[in-house]
Amino acid sequence: MPAKLPVRHLGPLSVSAIGLGCMNLSHAYLPPPDPAQAERLLLHAIDSGVTFFDTAAIYGFGQNEELLGRTLMHRRGEFTLASKCVLGEVNGQRALDGSPQAIAQVLDHALRRLRVEQIDLYYMHRLDPKVPVEESMGALVRALEAGKIRAIGLSEMSAPTIRRAHAVHPIAAVQTEYSPWTRNPEIAVLDVCAELGIGFVAFSPVGRGLLAGRIGREGVEEGDLRTGMPRFQPPHLARNLDLYDRLRMLADEAGCSSAQLCLAWLLAKGDTIVPIPGTTNIAHLDEDLAAIHLDLSPAILAAVDTLFPPGAASGGRYNAQAQAQVGTETWPGELEEQA
């Protein structure tokens, strides 16, 4: 029997308090795992009580959905499945297409790759500025009425956009990067989610690996997605690793790892927040899940807040090209640090 983890709620969905972000099993970070390793990781996650798996059409241009489809769907009744549309492949390149026709087509392809008839939570991965959000939402509502999805989500969108979308149909969850060094949701998104009864999914909760101690001063290898992110480039990387060293000292004081401290900090921010760390390593997954059971003192949690005030991280979280596709609110001066 699978282990049992505490649950949290995203709209009508009940999920493990920590889910699994599946992106780096097929996409973005190097080195990639071989398929057998990725499959073992997924099966270990579900056996360990993870009931929330997050993928997207863009991850490996469909390869990640195919991975989940062949690995997990014989246990379909045991977990909540999330995927995403709008940000995907257009003529072999990463691009946005939020037209109703594209959303319907991408969804049908996702259902086939995932080997399911229904996706539990289907996000607009980004807002396509060429298409009013109400039109994109209309396509998702039709998919819901047709039984192809159970609930609608939004990713990396601003509070005003969330309100507009929610006026068309209730949003179950909003997903945005959130961690001690990326606190943009605290500007407005968390407040609007609380007001409207929307769950919040925190991706990259351990700073894309840096706050977990997975990145050294040599940085990441060429071709890794993070090489294009200012925070992982000099001179920002050295400054951010100094922040990590101070975080690790706090974690040592608390008797946990720095990754666990980040996750426990997020879980303490509200009972509708669900972090989805990603990993290719079973030991790291076990470490992440153990954070659910930590009982950290208010003083330690407050010390994390003090160490990472808004703007503490050096460098923007995206370069200018990627930031142009993100609607999430930014802190004063943040966009000036994209280089």
Side-chain angles (χ1 to χ4, degrees):
M1 291 289 293
K4 296 287 187 182
L5 295 177
V7 300
R8 294 191 167 191
H9 297 282
L10 304 172
L13 307 171
S14 177
V15 303
S16 53
I18 293 179
L20 182 67
C22 300
M23 178 187 75
N24 60 345
L25 297 176
S26 310
H27 179 82
Y29 298 168
L30 298 178
D34 64 55
Q37 178 185 350
E39 291 167 9
R40 286 193 298 271
L41 187 285
L42 289 169
L43 292 170
H44 182 81
I46 198 168
D47 286 340
S48 300
V50 174
T51 64
F52 186 38
F53 293 84
D54 180 276
T55 183
I58 189 66
Y59 300 161
F61 288 172
Q63 292 180 27
N64 199 246
E65 290 178 327
E66 290 175 351
L67 170 66
L68 269 66
R70 69 174 180 265
T71 306
L72 292 180
M73 295 314 149
H74 65 293
R75 299 175 65 172
R76 180 67 184 94
E78 299 179 38
F79 64 92
T80 295
L81 174 64
S83 194
K84 311 179 194 73
C85 60
V86 178
L87 177 60
E89 177 187 6
V90 178
N91 298 323
Q93 300 294 320
R94 172 188 170 111
L96 296 173
D97 191 342
S99 66
Q101 298 87 348
I103 288 174
Q105 183 180 60
V106 170
L107 173 57
D108 284 342
H109 290 168
L111 292 169
R112 185 185 70 250
R113 289 191 291 255
L114 288 162
R115 307 183 188 186
V116 296
E117 296 182 355
Q118 185 183 67
I119 296 170
D120 297 305
L121 177 59
Y122 204 52
Y123 295 92
M124 290 176 59
H125 206 158
R126 296 289 190 274
L127 178 68
D128 183 348
K130 303 183 300 298
V131 182
V133 69
E134 291 82 0
E135 289 188 20
S136 298
M137 282 293 296
L140 294 174
V141 172
R142 289 188 289 275
L144 190 148
E145 292 170 345
K148 295 182 178 182
I149 63 176
R150 286 181 61 200
I152 298 171
L154 304 174
S155 175
E156 291 278 45
M157 297 192 191
S158 68
T161 300
I162 294 167
R163 289 186 184 280
R164 287 173 57 190
H166 191 79
V168 176
H169 187 278
I171 300 299
V174 168
Q175 179 177 142
T176 293
E177 183 175 356
Y178 190 26
S179 71
W181 81 343
T182 299
R183 298 178 65 173
N184 301 68
E186 296 176 7
I187 300 173
V189 165
L190 289 177
D191 286 342
V192 78
C193 286
E195 176 190 338
L196 299 176
I198 300 171
F200 185 88
V201 176
F203 77 80
S204 297
V206 296
R208 299 185 183 272
L210 187 142
L211 299 182
R214 314 291 186 229
I215 296 172
R217 295 190 179 270
E218 71 280 3
V220 294
E221 63 182 277
E222 192 62 35
D224 188 293
L225 180 72
R226 292 166 290 190
T227 59
M229 297 177 174
R231 290 182 181 180
F232 297 89
Q233 301 169 350
H236 304 297
L237 177 61
R239 297 170 187 163
N240 290 327
L241 287 170
D242 289 341
L243 276 175
Y244 161 71
D245 288 339
R246 295 165 65 188
L247 177 70
R248 191 188 67 243
M249 292 173 63
L250 281 178
D252 290 344
E253 181 182 344
C256 63
S257 71
S258 59
Q260 290 172 330
L261 180 55
C262 290
L263 293 166
W265 177 86
L266 278 169
L267 292 169
K269 288 292 181 180
D271 60 9
T272 59
I273 294 175
V274 179
I276 52 167
T279 182
T280 63
N281 183 293
I282 285 176
H284 293 165
L285 174 61
D286 290 341
E287 174 188 330
D288 290 344
L289 296 180
I292 290 176
H293 304 295
L294 291 177
D295 184 17
L296 299 181
S297 71
I300 287 290
L301 296 173
V304 177
D305 285 322
T306 300
L307 178 58
F308 290 97
S314 183
R317 65 189 185 106
Y318 291 116
N319 60 31
Q321 181 180 7
Q323 183 66 43
Q325 297 181 340
V326 173
T328 312
E329 289 83 357
T330 56
W331 299 103
E334 181 178 342
L335 300 186
E336 298 169 10
E337 291 198 318
Q338 291 176 342

